Amino acid sequence: MTTLRWGILGASNFAANFMGPAIHAARGAELTALATSTANKAAPFEAFAPGLRVHDSYDALLADDQVDAVYIPLPNHLHVDWSLKALAAGKHVLCEKPMTLRADQFDALIAARDASGLLVAEAFMIVHHPQFVRAKELIAEGAIGQLRHVDAVFSYFNADQGNIRNQATAGGGGLPDIGVYTFGSVRYVTGQEPLSVPFAHIDYENGVDTFVQMAAKFLDFTYAAVISMRLFNRQEIVFHGDQGVLRVTCPFNAGVFDQAELCLESKVHSRVIERFPGVNHYVLQVEAFGASVRDGVPYACPLEFSKGTQVMMDMVFEAGGGPEG
């Protein structure tokens, strides 16, 4: 197996605690380089990746011919520009969500991908987790009959105004941060796209959304969600059919928030629970990315899929009005 050599643009805490170790642990992957202008921020990475080359600028890492792919965990408003720069430098790209802040920004990324022949994707790790693969199978095979309604919720409390999630200029807000999960997960499991967003209530603070309650209409089912950065931690998706209910517990931070589980209640199965202990979806994401680069294996989350999620977020923002709306 050819090893894919990775570099990381920026020494974020998330990269140090989750994605860096995942790249290091993944089969067929090696973390070889990091770009940070603050030398001491490299220490957590060097602890698990001895011999790591540390560059003092992002451009220097992109010029490193011993890097095949880059992972980009930069603030949201920098994702598109640095993804395009990495592609121009001949690197494959895995970029944190949301990859863009508007759906039309995906067009330049798709064009650059097609022109370069390189893989570029949003880091939407949950589609690589067996919890979601199984949920998709259960819905497709009619385990709950005809799907009629979906409820989704994702919340956490973060009122720190120094955090980039609370800064409008950095592309902050609850929808950009976690709306991608509540929307993208349901699109992935059902294979359907929203037809309309008839209702969206959005609370804003200093130009960023902090609470969203919304409703959408899909072809075969209705959808309701709550997304918030100002509520106690909670995450769950419930798929409600005419013959049963499928609950996806801990759907977004498996192994951190709680253990990933599926709970199926139906006329056929009174109550069946499937558990997925010890699964690291970040490692699976890196391995799937490598398999796609090396062997052409179709990637579960291509740019076209991620654009569809951003389309839905754009619809919600439009339905809810702006900070003064």
Side-chain angles (χ1 to χ4, degrees), residues 153-169:
V153 60
F154 194 179
S155 64
Y156 63 88
F157 191 87
N158 179 358
D160 177 8
Q161 295 304 306
N163 188 282
I164 59 173
R165 293 168 183 81
N166 287 300
Q167 296 175 8
T169 55

Side-chain angles (χ1 to χ4, degrees), residues 33-34 49 75 97 99 138-139 143 150 163-164 172 216 226 241 255 275 315:
L34 172 72
K97 52 75 198 164
M99 195 158 193
L138 288 169
I139 296 300
V150 179
N163 188 282
I164 59 173
V226 169
R275 297 182 173 90
M315 292 169 69

Side-chain angles (χ1 to χ4, degrees), residues 204-272:
Y204 287 92
E205 295 179 21
N206 299 319
V208 301
D209 64 285
T210 59
F211 174 88
V212 178
Q213 181 185 19
M214 53 80 62
K217 180 69 176 70
F218 288 73
L219 180 63
D220 296 326
F221 61 92
T222 55
Y223 171 86
V226 169
I227 302 103
S228 180
M229 302 192 298
R230 296 294 190 272
L231 291 175
F232 186 73
N233 297 356
R234 182 185 170 202
Q235 51 182 270
E236 184 181 32
I237 310 174
V238 180
F239 297 89
H240 200 160
D242 57 8
Q243 302 295 314
V245 172
L246 178 66
R247 290 182 173 84
V248 185
T249 65
C250 188
F252 309 126
N253 295 123
V256 177
F257 175 76
D258 202 349
Q259 177 175 256
E261 294 183 351
L262 295 177
C263 179
L264 174 64
E265 299 179 61
S266 68
K267 292 183 176 180
V268 177
H269 305 286
S270 57
R271 185 179 176 88
V272 176

